[in-house]
Amino acid sequence: MLQFLRNLPKIELHAHLNGSLNIDSIRELAAKVYGVQTKEFSTLCERFIKFEKGAKLDDCFEKFGFVHELTSTKEGLEYATELVIRDFAKDNVIYVELRTTPKANGNMSRRSYLDTVLGVIKNKSDLYKIKVKLLPSINRAEPVAVAEETVALAVELATIEPEIIVGIDFSGNPNQGNFKDFIPVLSKARNHGLKLAMHCAEVDNPVEIREMIRFGMSRCGHGTYLSDSGFEHMKEENIPIECCLTSNVKSGTVANIGAHHLKQLMATCAPKVLCTDDSGVFDTTLSDEFFLATESFGLTKSQCIALTMEAVEHAFATREEKLMLKMQIYKYTRLQNK
Ligand SMILES: CNc1ncnc2c1ncn2[C@@H]1O[C@H](COP(=O)(O)O)[C@@H](O)[C@H]1O
Ligand SMILES: [Zn+2]
């Protein structure tokens, strides 16, 4: 089964750039950024993917600081973007929507951050035989003014690269910031034709969940704490829940894998997609996530193929791109049946 899943051409719709650098790639990146590695660095690497039992979501957010340091220069960010694209391609992901929060520092403006990531996507996708889209992220823990700058840049760059910049991600620590404050800037993005992928109901905050559902979204990240009526609404509106199994278990937003809402979504034929979220931080791959789903919920090979086809449907891709992706998946499944 694992080999079948590794070879299956897959679609990744929820991946944060800086969270998707795995340990080997971090080491490779560090060698490039810092030169020879120190013992302290190796210790940091070991701590990076360790999650104590009973870890909290807040613990995850501390981990990103470590990678952010390595991607704080143009060269570091460039190399990191290539490594992430390469690693998804290695796992036979044929289409990935990368999300990332543009960061300004002494080395880069938010514009140059996005230009750098875009440049790598344009230059390297063909080399790794993978289609890559970019969703600039709004970090809800940062001021609204930052989100305004990000959306203005996304709107402008989407006119130049409409095939690559296709949406906006709303993420960041859900225990921080107030969704309501971001409604005007998210509306602006939507009015300019950008799709919205929103982290919604990752924590239990019924008031905010209601506000988000009322506002609407194209895809729902996590949806862990949706009520039954929330799940029904998503199904009626054909809004898929981006299920990130290992992320939810390791960050403690679901009690254990058996309690994951993927089970309910499968049983009710509600729209859903399997994703990694932060394959580096959570030490997983999309193949591993599928394998976990087969082991935990008894998904068959055909259900895994159906889930992949469903992901194509919900991708922020053009009709032609979707057709090409489906053909690639179909070709693999036909070979399997021979
Ligand atoms: C675990 N669940 C999650 N919930 C909410 N936001 C998350 C997240 N995982 C990652 N991020 C968001 O993505 C950033 C890292 O990638 P980029 O620096 O943007 O490429 C994190 O700092 C956080 O803002
Ligand atoms: Zn996420």
Side-chain angles (χ1 to χ4, degrees):
M1 179 60 108
L2 187 55
Q3 205 48 51
F4 165 82
L5 294 170
R6 285 201 176 126
N7 292 337
L8 173 68
K10 291 173 287 295
I11 310 296
E12 171 64 77
L13 300 185
H14 187 142
H16 300 271
L17 179 63
N18 281 273
S20 299
L21 272 169
N22 64 39
I23 283 291
D24 288 342
S25 296
I26 286 178
R27 289 209 175 96
E28 230 179 300
L29 179 60
K32 198 121 180 162
V33 175
Y34 298 135
V36 184
Q37 282 181 38
T38 59
K39 213 169 165 207
E40 284 98 316
F41 189 81
S42 300
T43 317
L44 275 175
C45 283
E46 275 159 33
R47 284 207 344 240
F48 184 62
I49 51 169
K50 272 222 176 92
F51 281 84
E52 303 305 331
K53 244 195 150 30
K56 294 270 172 304
L57 188 58
D58 286 345
D59 303 333
C60 305
F61 290 92
E62 281 173 21
K63 308 222 177 214
F64 295 112
F66 173 45
V67 189
H68 286 156
E69 237 176 77
L70 295 169
T71 55
S72 62
T73 61
K74 188 174 180 317
E75 294 69 33
L77 179 63
E78 240 168 21
Y79 198 50
T81 308
E82 179 170 355
L83 290 173
V84 166
I85 292 174
R86 180 199 69 182
D87 290 343
F88 276 115
K90 253 192 203 167
D91 190 35
N92 281 316
V93 170
I94 54 170
Y95 174 96
V96 58
E97 289 180 12
L98 286 178
R99 322 159 167 221
T100 194
T101 322
K103 296 160 197 78
N105 58 30
N107 306 315
M108 271 183 296
S109 61
R110 290 193 177 82
R111 179 185 289 273
S112 43
Y113 183 102
L114 282 179
D115 277 342
T116 302
V117 177
L118 259 175
V120 178
I121 292 176
K122 281 201 295 188
N123 293 331
K124 302 288 178 177
S125 303
D126 287 350
L127 175 69
Y128 294 108
K129 300 192 177 63
I130 181 170
K131 190 115 211 132
V132 186
K133 306 273 177 185
L134 179 62
L135 314 181
S137 302
I138 291 176
N139 181 350
R140 57 181 293 158
E142 291 185 321
V144 174
V146 173
E148 280 163 356
E149 189 185 339
T150 298
V151 167
L153 283 168
V155 167
E156 183 191 327
L157 292 172
T159 60
I160 306 165
E161 300 293 348
E163 304 239 310
I164 301 178
I165 300 206
V166 286
I168 288 284
D169 159 53
F170 183 73
S171 59
N173 191 334
N175 296 314
Q176 293 177 20
N178 188 349
F179 165 69
K180 255 190 163 164
D181 299 341
F182 293 91
I183 289 181
V185 70
L186 286 165
S187 303
K188 182 181 165 191
R190 185 155 62 189
N191 293 339
H192 278 88
L194 292 171
K195 298 275 201 316
L196 300 180
M198 309 240 289
H199 284 63
C200 169
E202 190 177 8
V203 293
D204 193 12
N205 182 345
V207 175
E208 178 177 284
I209 295 170
R210 266 199 300 279
E211 287 165 2
M212 281 194 173
I213 288 179
R214 198 172 312 130
F215 177 72
M217 64 199 82
S218 294
R219 293 198 310 252
C220 168
H222 303 296
T224 321
Y225 286 89
L226 285 172
S227 61
D228 284 347
S229 67
F231 279 119
E232 259 166 48
H233 173 88
M234 297 300 183
K235 187 177 173 187
E236 268 164 30
E237 298 292 316
N238 193 25
I239 299 168
I241 312 289
E242 298 162 351
C243 293
C244 312
L245 305 177
T246 304
S247 162
N248 296 159
V249 172
K250 287 196 176 172
S251 64
T253 55
V254 301
N256 54 63
I257 187 66
H260 198 281
H261 44 296
L262 174 63
K263 192 175 175 180
Q264 180 186 349
L265 294 167
M266 294 291 302
T268 55
C269 298
K272 68 234 151 270
V273 282
L274 269 194
C275 315
T276 54
D277 204 12
D278 300 291
S279 52
V281 175
F282 298 118
D283 193 21
T284 188
T285 62
L286 192 52
S287 298
D288 289 344
E289 293 300 296
F290 270 92
F291 188 61
L292 185 58
T294 62
E295 295 273 286
S296 314
F297 306 113
L299 261 65
T300 61
K301 285 182 182 175
S302 354
Q303 281 176 309
C304 292
I305 296 165
L307 262 179
T308 304
M309 291 293 190
E310 196 174 345
V312 174
E313 277 310 319
H314 295 294
F316 299 158
T318 62
R319 275 178 59 176
E320 291 72 25
E321 286 169 338
K322 288 184 183 186
L323 198 65
M324 295 292 286
L325 294 170
K326 282 187 175 172
M327 273 164 52
Q328 255 177 286
I329 300 162
Y330 180 65
K331 217 166 112 188
Y332 173 73
T333 58
R334 260 194 44 193
L335 272 176
Q336 291 294 307
N337 291 334
K338 272 196 179 148

